[in-house]
Structures are given as structure tokens and as C-alpha cells.
């Protein structure tokens, strides 16, 4: 073997690293979006590393919104570390997520290479995953790092198990699996994935053969520790997240919609067109809906393909990859209803399996084609990866700011009321009130009971001198969404602006009873207390705030002011 041939693979690995960096080079300054607002921007807990032990004891530390408080302590820990590096700037958060993506690609190259029997096939699969245009939806969305970490935990655990030796004998493979579950509940899918790996790859069963009771138990026995650990941690997460509300209405119709959603995800892996940060898909409401039949047909065809592929030694890894796709989708695409029936960032974990299938099939194609045709295949593979890298770069531009993101959502998903509302917010931020009002009105036309849209319309009316209409919409929002603390904060802020400070204090205390770690409500309440000289109350609120966030300069300054006045005997 020549020196060039020996160095070709390391050079290809370096080229992948550079391609990843180039594709994502324009995303590090991108803004926070979606749930980043209440899990990062308005969550006092992630602003202080001293709160890390609390993350593992209390799911309420995950979010400032009670309905979104899930038990994901490892994810919150990484966010707290990011905040220690860059504060409220998104740079460290994006660097962190990007590094985890790189780690995922490295582990996939090893695992896929092992399963496909070719390190080049493994590298291709890892590159296809890392540079896939749809993966950018997850990497750009900071709080979706839970998907990244849970997928990484499952991949690392199965790789350690596959390598055997001490990692298997001492059950060291369970550690990354456990960390994956502590990042997001879907990490528990590492256990059934390990079961499939044992049955299909190590015991060389077909899918049908694996379903026979004796063969099933033979594959289950080695995977049982993973089921126990992942199941226990998932149980802790569910018990800790008792206050979490996904917002979905019907478990039955949500489940009936998911086969066609899975078909959409699969098609997106093949051709990533129509990506949207927030879709406007709705659940089916009748078995006569053609989407139900189409989804079932896709599901049956895919499972039949997995069974057929599992009968042959060369295509068995592809069968595992296809089943990985469906297993990783189970937490979001089954009988557990979520507010959105489809969301593009959910494709990250399932796409690991499709990348495995693509890698194993690419290896077979290279082996079976004529030697003269192999350079053509290589060029086609590089062209495909290059096209995806360009796609990633373009999607990063969409995620650049709130305005670019939500403008794109209104274009790709015009039926999405949240998209119209958030686009209106970005327009209102630059005082384009007429267009913002049209967006809020469109949002309410799509979703009449959308409390956030009522609140933002109220803020707009307040800014344009229509106080009566403003108060009506503020109150309507509280009727529709009484447990959302931010709606009470915005109402309180407006009440303060129109000279109704005592009423504002009442609303702020209500907001803090729902979300004690809401920084905006705390700061405004402290300023109102300082204005009316309520020094004892101010001191108590400031001390409580510093208990959440020891570096809060506003609370520190106001506490010193309150203590000085109390010593001087001033105020009530």
C-alpha cells in the first residue's frame, strides 16, 4: 500500500471535520428561538453553576413555564456551563451544540464502520448525517440539544457494547445510555436499540426470527441491564415531570397521524425539501382521511423491507438502521401526544439509523459495481455531501434572527398561527405596527384561543395609544392561558406604564407564584417595591433572587439599598 493510500482515510476524516466547520460557520451568532426563551433566557436557574445539584433533584428548574418543566438535568447542566462562558450571548451555546454534533459524527463513523464492515462506509454515513440539511434544524435550536445528547448517549452505549471486552463485562456501556436519558427522555430508546443490535447483528436473526419467543428471550437477556437502567431513569423523569403538559388534545388521532409523519421524515432524509422551523400539520380526525391509509402503507412497506434486508448478511445492518429510525421515533411519534404532530428537529435521533442504512447500502453498491464505476460513485457521494453542506449553510441563515426565522415559517407553513404571531413580534420590535397588527390578527384568525397572540396584540395597542383595547386583550389572554406567568408579567408592565403600580404588583406576585425563577417578573417587582419604599419586602425578594442567581447585579444593588434604608429606619 502506498503512502498516499495509507493517508487517504485520515485526510478524508480531516476533510469531514473541515466540511462540518464550513457548513456551520455562519450559525454561531444565531439567536435564541422557541423554547430557548423560557428554558434559557428567562430561567434564573441556568445562570448559576451552584444550581447544578438542583437540576438533578427538581424538574421545576428546567423552565420558567410550569407546563414545560421536564426532568432533563444533564441538559440543564450544559446550559449552565454555557452561561458561565458567554452569559446571555448565544455563542457558547452554539459552539457547545456543534461540538456535540462533531462527537456524534466521530462515534457514528466508528459504529457504522464496524456494522457495515468498512471504515469508508462508516465515514460516509457519519458525513451524510453530520452534513444533512435537516440536521441543521436541531443544531440551530439550542434547547434541542436534548435530542443531540440523547442520540449521542445511545450511539456511544451501543458502540461500547459492540466493542466488547471490559466495557461489556463491566457494563460500562450503560453509563452513556444513562446520561442520554438524563438529557432527554427519548434516550431510553437505547435499550430497545441494543436489543435489536444483539438480535440482528450478533445473533444474526431475521426480524421474523427475532420475534420467536426463544430467540426473543435470547436477545433480550444481554440487553436486560440496559432496559432496567433506562427504564428506571425514564420513570424518574416521568415522575419528576408531573406538571408537564404537552398540549395535545387526542391520543388516538395523534397516533393515527404519526405513520404519515414518519413517511414525511423518511422522505426528508432522501430529499430535504420543505423544511420549516414550525410546521402547520394537523392531526387527522377520521379514519377516512387519506393520510391514514398512506401512512399505514408506508409503515407496512418499511417493515417489510426491514424483514427482507434482515435475511441477508450484507443487508442486515440496513435492516437495523431502518428499525433504528422507527424505534427512535417512538417517544414523539406514537401514543404520547405532543402539541405539534410534526417537528423537524425530531428527525435528528432517527436519522442516525437511516445514515447506518445508507452506509451499509453504499458499501454493497461499491462492492457490486464494476471497478471502473467506483470513482463515479465516489464523485456522486462527494457531490451529495456538498449539496447538503450548502443546504446547512442556507438553513443557518434562516435561523439567524427571530425575523428571518418566523418570516420563513409564515411562507413555508402559512397555517401556523404561532408563526404569524412571532413574525408580528419581530415587526413590532422595530415599530412596524401596521404590519405587526396584521400578523397578530392573522394569528388569532388561525388560532382564536391563542393567549400569546392576545397579549402581543394588547402590547401593540398599548404602544399605539389604545388602552381600552389593550386591557381587554390582556385580560382575555389570562382567561385563555391562566398558568402562563409571562402573560401576567406583560400585563403588569403595561399597568405600571399607565400608572397603576399597585395592580402591577399583584400581577407580578401571581406570576412568581407560578414561576419563582422568572427574572423579568422579579426585577420589575423589586423596582416597584423600591419606588414605593417597601424596603423590608424588597430585601426579602432581593435575597430570594440572589438565592437563584448569586451574580444578579440588580438584586444585589437593590438589596444594599433596602438594607441601608432599613438601618436608617426609612419606609414601611
Amino acid at each position: 500500500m502506498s503512502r498516499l493510500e495509507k493517508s487517504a482515510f485520515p485526510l478524508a476524516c480531516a476533510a469531514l471535520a473541515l466540511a462540518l466547520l464550513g457548513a456551520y460557520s455562519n450559525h454561531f451568532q444565531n439567536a435564541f428561538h422557541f423554547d430557548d426563551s423560557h428554558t434559557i433566557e428567562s430561567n434564573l436557574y441556568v445562570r448559576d453553576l451552584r444550581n447544578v445539584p438542583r437540576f438533578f433533584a427538581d424538574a421545576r428548574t428546567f423552565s420558567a413555564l410550569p407546563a414545560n418543566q421536564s426532568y432533563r438535568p444533564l441538559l440543564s447542566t450544559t446550559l449552565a456551563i454555557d452561561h458561565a462562558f458567554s452569559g446571555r450571548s448565544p455563542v457558547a451555546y452554539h459552539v457547545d451544540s456543534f461540538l456535540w454534533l462533531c462527537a456524534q459524527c466521530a462515534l457514528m463513523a466508528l459504529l457504522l464502520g464496524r456494522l457495515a464492515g468498512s471504515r469508508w462506509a462508516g465515514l460516509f454515513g457519519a458525513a451524510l448525517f453530520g452534513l444533512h440539511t435537516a440536521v441543521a434544524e436541531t443544531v440551530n435550536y439550542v434547547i434541542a440539544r436534548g435530542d443531540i445528547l440523547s442520540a449521542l448517549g445511545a450511539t456511544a452505549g451501543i458502540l461500547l457494547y459492540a466493542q466488547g471486552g471490559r466495557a461489556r463485562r463491566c457494563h460500562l456501556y450503560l453509563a452513556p445510555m444513562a446520561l442520554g436519558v438524563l438529557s432527554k427522555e427519548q434516550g431510553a430508546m437505547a435499550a430497545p436499540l441494543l436489543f435489536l443490535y444483539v438480535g440482528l447483528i450478533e445473533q444474526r436473526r431475521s426480524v421474523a426470527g427475532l420475534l420467536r419467543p426463544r430467540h426473543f428471550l435470547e436477545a433480550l437477556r444481554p440487553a436486560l441491564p440496559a432496559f432496567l437502567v433506562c427504564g428506571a431513569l425514564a420513570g424518574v423523569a416521568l415522575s419528576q415531570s408531573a406538571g408537564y403538559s404537552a398540549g395535545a388534545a387526542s391520543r388516538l388521532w395523534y397516533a393515527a397521524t404519526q405513520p404519515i409523519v414518519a413517511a414525511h421524515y423518511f422522505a426528508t432524509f432522501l430529499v430535504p425539501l420543505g423544511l420549516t422551523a414550525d410546521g402547520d400539520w394537523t392531526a387527522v380526525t377520521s379514519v377516512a382521511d387519506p393520510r391514514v391509509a398512506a401512512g399505514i402503507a408506508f409503515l407496512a412497506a418499511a417493515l417489510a423491507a426491514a424483514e427482507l434486508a434482515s435475511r441477508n448478511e450484507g443487508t442486515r445492518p440496513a435492516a437495523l438502521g431502518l428499525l433504528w429510525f422507527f424505534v427512535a421515533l417512538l417517544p414523539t411519534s406514537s401514543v404520547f401526544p405532543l402539541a405539534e404532530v410534526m417537528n423537524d428537529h425530531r428527525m435528528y435521533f432517527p436519522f442516525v439509523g437511516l445514515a447506518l442504512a445508507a452506509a451499509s447500502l453504499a458499501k454493497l453498491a461499491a462492492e457490486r459495481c464494476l471497478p471502473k464505476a467506483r470513482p463515479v460513485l465516489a464523485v456522486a457521494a462527494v457531490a451529495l455531501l456538498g449539496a447538503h453542506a450548502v443546504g446547512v449553510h442556507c438553513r443557518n441563515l434562516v435561523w439567524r434572527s427571530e425575523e428571518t426565522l418566523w418570516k420563513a415559517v409564515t411562507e413555508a407553513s402559512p397555517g401556523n398561527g404561532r408563526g404569524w404571531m412571532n413574525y408580528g413580534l419581530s415587526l413590532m420590535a422595530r415599530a412596524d405596527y401596521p404590519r405587526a397588527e396584521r400578523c397578530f390578527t392573522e394569528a388569532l384568525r388561525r388560532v382564536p384561543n391563542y393567549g400569546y397572540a392576545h397579549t402581543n396584540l394588547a402590547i401593540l395597542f398599548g404602544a399605539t395609544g389604545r388602552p381600552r383595547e389593550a386591557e381587554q386583550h390582556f385580560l382575555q389572554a389570562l382567561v385563555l392561558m391562566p398558568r402562563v406567568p409571562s402573560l401576567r408579567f406583560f400585563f403588569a408592565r403595561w399597568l405600571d406604564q399607565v400608572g397603576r403600580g399597585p395592580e402591577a404588583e399583584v400581577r407580578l406576585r401571581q406570576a412568581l407564584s407560578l414561576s419563582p425563577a422568572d427574572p423579568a417578573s422579579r426585577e420589575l417587582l423589586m423596582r416597584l417595591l423600591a419606588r414605593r419604599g417597601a424596603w423590608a419586602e424588597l430585601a426579602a425578594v432581593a435575597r430570594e433572587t440572589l438565592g437563584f442567581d448569586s451574580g444578579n447585579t440588580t438584586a444585589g444593588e437593590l438589596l444594599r439599598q433596602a438594607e441601608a434604608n432599613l438601618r436608617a429606619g426609612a419606609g414601611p
Side-chain angles (χ1 to χ4, degrees), residues 237-253:
L238 290 174
S239 64
Q240 281 278 342
S241 307
Y244 175 81
S245 174
S250 168
R251 188 184 301 270
L252 172 64
W253 296 123

Side-chain angles (χ1 to χ4, degrees), residues 38-40 42-46 51-73 76 236-244 483 485 512-519 544 548:
H38 58 83
T39 55
I40 301 171
S42 62
N43 185 1
L44 279 177
Y45 290 109
V46 300
N51 289 322
V52 170
R54 295 189 187 186
F55 299 153
F56 290 84
D58 190 350
R60 291 174 296 180
T61 58
F62 178 69
S63 169
L65 287 180
N68 293 73
Q69 291 168 345
S70 301
Y71 186 70
R72 299 170 187 176
S76 294
V236 170
L238 290 174
S239 64
Q240 281 278 342
S241 307
Y244 175 81
R483 292 192 56 77
L512 290 174
S513 69
L514 293 169
S515 177
D518 180 18
E544 191 177 37
F548 294 121

